[in-house]
Amino acid sequence: MPLSIFGFQALWSPYMIGTLIFLVIVYFLITIRWRSDFKESEPLKKREAIYFVLGIVLLYVIKGSPIDLMSNITFTMHMVQMAFYLLLLPILIIKGIPWWVWKVVVGFPVVNKLIKVFTNPIVSVLGFALTFSVYHIPLVFDYIKIDETLHGLASLVLFLSAFFMYWPLVNEVPGQPKLKGLYKIGYIIATAVVITPACALIIFTKDPVYATYTDGEAWLRAMALCVPDQTLASISTTVQLSGPELFTNLSPIRDQQLGGVLMKIIQEIILGILLYFVFIDWWRDEHKISEEEITAKAYSEFQAKKRNQY
């Protein structure tokens, strides 16, 4: 059955488009027009603007396009949505906002305290793993998926846990917690490992465990969060909406397993790319240090020979 039966609003979230366009306008006003109002500021870098705009586009794609609707129909698409929402979006937002804007934000006492506590490497990695794992406990997941307020809060908490996890890895704010050298490599590897148990349980379970993807009534209640009530009511008069099987050929267990596999694959790709750039930076820093050491040693030897000549 085509997704078009749910209508334009459910598929493309026009209100979200307006909100995100507003955020982009505010971003460029702050970073260009109002930049002089900041005590410490620099001209907006092209790469920062690209990161931020890509982040906004990605946010719309995973939360405002048909992907969001599909995430309520198949667990596979839900996990793809989660992968990009938690593992890529925070990086783009952190790197897209200039350091001097972040410095003002983290300067607020409450924000500064939260950053200090939750960006501790052990706390941030384990906090992300715990948040992700608890959210995907079947009882918790099914309860949150049918309550609009809880669903919104859970999405925010998940994003913040990912944000805190990435902050010490990619932020460029002077004075803020930041990992260096080989610590970054170990941190990325730890991040890749911590959610493996949750993904493994999803992949290797023998039976489907999420009611919102198997039970018709629970599924309809979850769908009501992204499809207007009038639209669902009008569809129900012509089509009997009984569950996800109307829109996918995947069995519930295959859908669940595929979701877990794709989550892990996307995670490994994103973190693998991040690991590559971190390693390259570390290698360059080490190479630069050794060059400086060699130069200093050669200079001292030259000075010693010069003194001996006299």
Side-chain angles (χ1 to χ4, degrees):
M1 186 173 293
L3 293 179
S4 57
I5 65 170
F6 292 108
F8 179 81
Q9 183 175 335
L11 287 172
W12 297 105
S13 307
Y15 296 113
M16 187 176 184
I17 294 176
T19 302
L20 295 180
I21 290 174
F22 173 76
L23 288 178
V24 171
I25 292 172
V26 170
Y27 170 82
F28 283 110
L29 284 174
I30 291 173
T31 56
I32 297 177
R33 186 167 183 177
W34 299 334
R35 181 172 64 85
S36 59
D37 294 337
F38 291 80
K39 292 182 180 179
E40 297 180 81
S41 65
E42 294 177 353
L44 178 66
K45 297 181 177 67
K46 184 178 180 180
R47 62 181 177 83
E48 292 172 335
I50 291 173
Y51 280 134
F52 185 80
V53 172
L54 283 177
I56 293 297
V57 171
L58 177 63
L59 179 59
Y60 175 72
V61 169
I62 59 179
K63 286 291 189 178
S65 76
I67 288 177
D68 188 50
L69 180 62
M70 283 296 296
S71 72
N72 287 281
I73 295 175
T74 67
F75 186 76
T76 296
M77 197 55 68
H78 161 76
M79 292 301 272
V80 170
Q81 182 189 52
M82 283 287 101
F84 286 103
Y85 180 64
L86 299 178
L87 299 172
L88 182 56
L89 181 61
I91 298 175
L92 296 175
I93 297 301
I94 293 172
K95 294 186 75 65
I97 296 177
W99 67 266
W100 44 272
V101 177
W102 277 124
K103 190 171 183 178
V104 173
V105 174
V106 300
F108 290 100
V110 175
V111 177
N112 193 35
K113 288 180 180 178
L114 290 174
I115 290 287
K116 285 182 178 179
V117 172
F118 291 106
T119 58
N120 176 282
I122 296 176
V123 174
S124 59
V125 171
L126 294 182
F128 173 72
L130 182 63
T131 305
F132 179 84
S133 300
V134 169
Y135 176 77
H136 285 97
I137 293 173
L139 184 64
V140 175
F141 184 87
D142 289 332
Y143 190 74
I144 289 175
K145 286 286 282 185
I146 60 176
D147 186 288
E148 186 172 6
T149 302
L150 288 177
H151 188 261
L153 287 173
S155 294
L156 176 61
V157 170
L158 283 165
F159 180 81
L160 287 176
S161 70
F163 178 91
F164 289 138
M165 179 187 70
Y166 277 125
W167 182 258
L169 194 62
V170 299
N171 92 84
E172 298 177 1
V173 183
Q176 281 297 303
K178 188 170 184 179
L179 295 169
K180 296 181 180 179
L182 289 175
Y183 290 104
K184 282 187 176 183
I185 296 174
Y187 189 82
I188 294 172
I189 293 172
T191 301
V193 170
V194 289
I195 69 168
T196 299
C199 291
L201 288 173
I202 291 170
I203 294 168
F204 296 109
T205 185
K206 295 181 179 179
D207 300 299
V209 294
Y210 298 109
T212 43
Y213 293 101
T214 55
D215 180 77
E217 183 179 348
W219 177 75
L220 277 173
R221 292 177 68 183
M223 287 293 291
L225 299 186
C226 60
V227 180
D229 293 336
Q230 305 93 321
T231 304
L232 278 178
S234 63
I235 293 173
S236 299
T237 59
T238 56
V239 179
Q240 185 178 358
L241 294 176
S242 56
E245 67 275 2
L246 293 173
F247 303 93
T248 177
N249 293 323
L250 284 173
S251 66
I253 185 62
R254 296 302 179 203
D255 177 36
Q256 183 176 296
Q257 291 171 337
L258 181 59
V261 169
L262 287 178
M263 175 69 185
K264 195 60 186 168
I265 290 174
I266 295 171
Q267 180 210 31
E268 296 298 335
I269 292 173
I270 293 173
L271 293 182
I273 294 172
L274 188 59
L275 182 63
Y276 169 78
F277 285 108
V278 166
F279 178 80
I280 292 298
D281 288 341
W282 170 77
W283 180 264
R284 286 173 179 168
D285 289 341
E286 288 295 307
H287 189 60
K288 182 180 179 181
I289 291 171
S290 58
E291 278 184 354
E292 291 173 350
E293 290 175 345
I294 292 170
T295 302
K297 185 178 179 180
Y299 179 76
S300 63
E301 289 176 353
F302 172 76
Q303 291 294 331
K305 288 180 180 179
K306 190 174 181 181
R307 284 193 300 270
N308 291 334
Q309 288 177 354
Y310 291 101

